[in-house]
Each structure stands twice: as structure tokens, then as C-alpha cells.
């Protein structure tokens, strides 16, 4: 995956900073979005139906942050077996880090969830773990696919599918009234920042030859075990949905 280690573009770095600033601004001035949050929350019951809610509940379960962490551990294990340890470690480390960021932010902000949620969730509301998790996990997989397939048509299809999945999961959170709109927006922005930051780090480490040699194999194994421990703690805590 030599192409993965190309010199990062200034655009990538600028986007990374932009996503971070946007997330921080929403976190600081979240109260200013109260009117928008309340309006969207009040409107959602007018479009809810039994059939759609069944599908929304299934999406809630399938793309729960805990589920995404488990998926990442399994995929990372497969990558380790195939000798792609740097890719597997990148994926599981990204998801574990995203979970930590969301958990810390939730406990600092301590925003309560909407009272009219269809599916009652425990824990705090801001930001949405579903939104952050889907952006990060699929983003990492898209990054790998982007480096493998160079066809413009294939890449456009990948980006389209990625955008559609993010839109579906984010909409699902407000449809179920499990989150305020600002929760979902902040979650997606924090995930986008973390994703781009790690991609830049991954490329930088690749150019330095960090992924070469037996020493990395030993370190990767230890870090993977550590990431699994974090993932287990995340799933057990159930605090980042």
C-alpha cells in the first residue's frame, strides 16, 4: 500500500482542522442550537410510522457504537491474519480512540436525551456515538478501498455509498428521537476530525518506515491486545450509544 504513504495534501490537513474547530464551536455554543433541536425533535413524530420504526430500530442495533467496535476488532483480526497488521491496528485503534473521545465528551457535557425517544437509551446524549462511529469505521475502510481501486467510477460509487450510509445512520438517530440534532452533527464532526487526523498520522508513519521490520510486529501485537481490552470496556460500559 505504498500509495497510502504519499505526502499528505494541504487540503487534508486544512479539513482536519476545520472539522475540529466546527466540533469545538458546536460544543461551546450548543445552547444556541436549542431552538433547532427542539423544532426537529417536535417534527419527527409527524413522520414516524410503525413500519419505518421497525427498520430504524434495526439500524440502531446494527450500527450501535458497541457493535461497530466489535466489527472493527473482527475485521482487524482478519487483517492481522493476512499480514496487514498496520491496517488492522489502524482500524481498531481508530475505533477505540473514537469511543474514548465520545465517552469523555459525554461525561463532560452531561446533556440529557430527548424525553420522547422511541428507544430509551441510557447515558448522556451529546455527542452521538453512532454518528462518530459510522464516520470513523466506514471512513477507514473507504480509505483502504480508495488506495486499492483507482477507477474514477468505482471511487465515485464508494464515496456515494459512504455518504449515504452516514446520512441514513445520522437521520436514524433523530428519527428515533434518541438524540438531538446537535448531538448527531457534533458526533459526525468529531468522527471526521479523528478520521482525517489518523489518516495523516498513518501516512506519516508509513513514510518513516515505522511499519517495516520485526519490531513493529511485536509492538502491533501488543497494541492490538490493548485495543481489544479498550473495546471490551467500551462494550461492557455501554456508555457511548
Amino acid at each position: 500500500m505504498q500509495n497510502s504513504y504519499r505526502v499528505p495534501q494541504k487540503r487534508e490537513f486544512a479539513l482536519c482542522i476545520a472539522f475540529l474547530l466546527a466540533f469545538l464551536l458546536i460544543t461551546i455554543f450548543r445552547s444556541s442550537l436549542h431552538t433547532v433541536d427542539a423544532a426537529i425533535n417536535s417534527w419527527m413524530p409527524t413522520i414516524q410510522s410503525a413500519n419505518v420504526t421497525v427498520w430504524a430500530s434495526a439500524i440502531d442495533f446494527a450500527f450501535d457504537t458497541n457493535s461497530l467496535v466489535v466489527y472493527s476488532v473482527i475485521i482487524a483480526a482478519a487483517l492481522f491474519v493476512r499480514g496487514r497488521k498496520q491496517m488492522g491496528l489502524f482500524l481498531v485503534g481508530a475505533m477505540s480512540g473514537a469511543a474514548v473521545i465520545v465517552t469523555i465528551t459525554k461525561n463532560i457535557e452531561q446533556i440529557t436525551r430527548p424525553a420522547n425517544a422511541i428507544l430509551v437509551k441510557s447515558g448522556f446524549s451529546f455527542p452521538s456515538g453512532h454518528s462518530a462511529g459510522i464516520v470513523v469505521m466506514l471512513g477507514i475502510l473507504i480509505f483502504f478501498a480508495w488506495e486499492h481501486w483507482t477507477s474514477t467510477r468505482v471511487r465515485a460509487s464508494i464515496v456515494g455509498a459512504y455518504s449515504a450510509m452516514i446520512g441514513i445512520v445520522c437521520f436514524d438517530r433523530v428519527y428515533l428521537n434518541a438524540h438531538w440534532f446537535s448531538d448527531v452533527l457534533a458526533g459526525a464532526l468529531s468522527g471526521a476530525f479523528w478520521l482525517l487526523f489518523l489518516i495523516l498520522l498513518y501516512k506519516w508513519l508509513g513514510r518513516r518506515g515505522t511499519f517495516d521490520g520485526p519490531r513493529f510486529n511485536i509492538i502491533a501485537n501488543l497494541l492490538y491486545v490493548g485495543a481489544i481490552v479498550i473495546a471490551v470496556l467500551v462494550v461492557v460500559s455501554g456508555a457511548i450509544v
Side-chain angles (χ1 to χ4, degrees), residues 150-236:
T150 57
S151 168
T152 301
R153 179 175 297 180
V154 173
R155 285 184 167 184
S157 299
I158 290 173
V159 172
Y162 179 49
S163 302
M165 286 303 302
I166 292 175
I168 290 172
V169 172
C170 288
F171 177 77
D172 182 76
R173 309 317 296 144
V174 291
Y175 173 86
L176 293 171
N177 285 334
H179 282 285
W180 304 102
F181 172 74
S182 59
D183 302 339
V184 173
L185 183 58
L189 289 171
S190 66
F193 154 70
W194 182 239
L195 171 65
L196 284 176
F197 172 78
L198 288 182
I199 287 176
L200 290 170
L201 178 62
Y202 182 82
K203 293 177 180 179
W204 179 73
L205 291 174
R207 292 196 308 275
R208 286 171 54 89
T210 305
F211 303 138
D212 302 325
R215 182 180 179 184
F216 171 73
N217 289 330
I218 297 174
I219 295 175
N221 291 334
L222 294 174
L223 290 177
Y224 181 63
V225 172
I228 291 178
V229 171
I230 294 176
V232 170
L233 292 175
V234 166
V235 173
V236 170

Side-chain angles (χ1 to χ4, degrees), residues 4 29 43 55 85 101 108 166 198 209 217:
S4 300
F29 300 105
W43 176 69
W55 285 102
K85 290 187 176 182
I101 292 173
I108 290 176
I166 292 175
L198 288 182
N217 289 330

Side-chain angles (χ1 to χ4, degrees), residues 8 14 25 32 47 70 124:
L25 285 173
S32 300
I47 65 171
V70 172
F124 298 115

Side-chain angles (χ1 to χ4, degrees), residues 23-194:
F23 168 66
L24 292 176
L25 285 173
I26 290 177
T27 302
I28 294 171
F29 300 105
R30 182 188 176 280
S31 59
S32 300
L33 295 173
H34 176 72
T35 301
V36 175
D37 283 340
I40 294 176
N41 179 265
S42 298
W43 176 69
M44 279 300 159
T46 66
I47 65 171
Q48 291 167 349
S49 67
N51 291 333
V52 175
T53 298
V54 170
W55 285 102
S57 300
I59 292 172
D60 170 84
F61 176 77
F63 296 101
D64 179 274
T65 313
N66 297 332
S67 298
L68 293 178
V69 171
V70 172
Y71 300 157
S72 69
V73 170
I74 295 173
I75 295 173
L79 290 171
F80 264 62
V81 171
R82 294 176 62 87
R84 304 290 182 88
K85 290 187 176 182
Q86 74 276 17
M87 296 168 63
L89 188 60
F90 182 39
L91 174 60
V92 75
M95 285 303 298
S96 298
V100 170
I101 292 173
V102 170
T103 301
I104 290 175
T105 306
K106 280 180 179 289
N107 284 282
I108 290 176
E109 295 299 314
Q110 297 189 3
I111 303 299
T112 57
R113 294 178 181 273
N116 59 343
I118 294 178
L119 297 180
V120 178
K121 299 287 184 176
S122 61
F124 298 115
S125 184
F126 182 91
S128 165
H130 280 72
S131 302
I134 195 68
V135 168
V136 173
M137 180 178 168
L138 288 187
I140 297 295
L141 298 179
I142 293 300
F143 171 67
F144 294 152
W146 188 271
E147 298 299 325
H148 180 73
W149 286 295
T150 57
S151 168
T152 301
R153 179 175 297 180
V154 173
R155 285 184 167 184
S157 299
I158 290 173
V159 172
Y162 179 49
S163 302
M165 286 303 302
I166 292 175
I168 290 172
V169 172
C170 288
F171 177 77
D172 182 76
R173 309 317 296 144
V174 291
Y175 173 86
L176 293 171
N177 285 334
H179 282 285
W180 304 102
F181 172 74
S182 59
D183 302 339
V184 173
L185 183 58
L189 289 171
S190 66
F193 154 70
W194 182 239

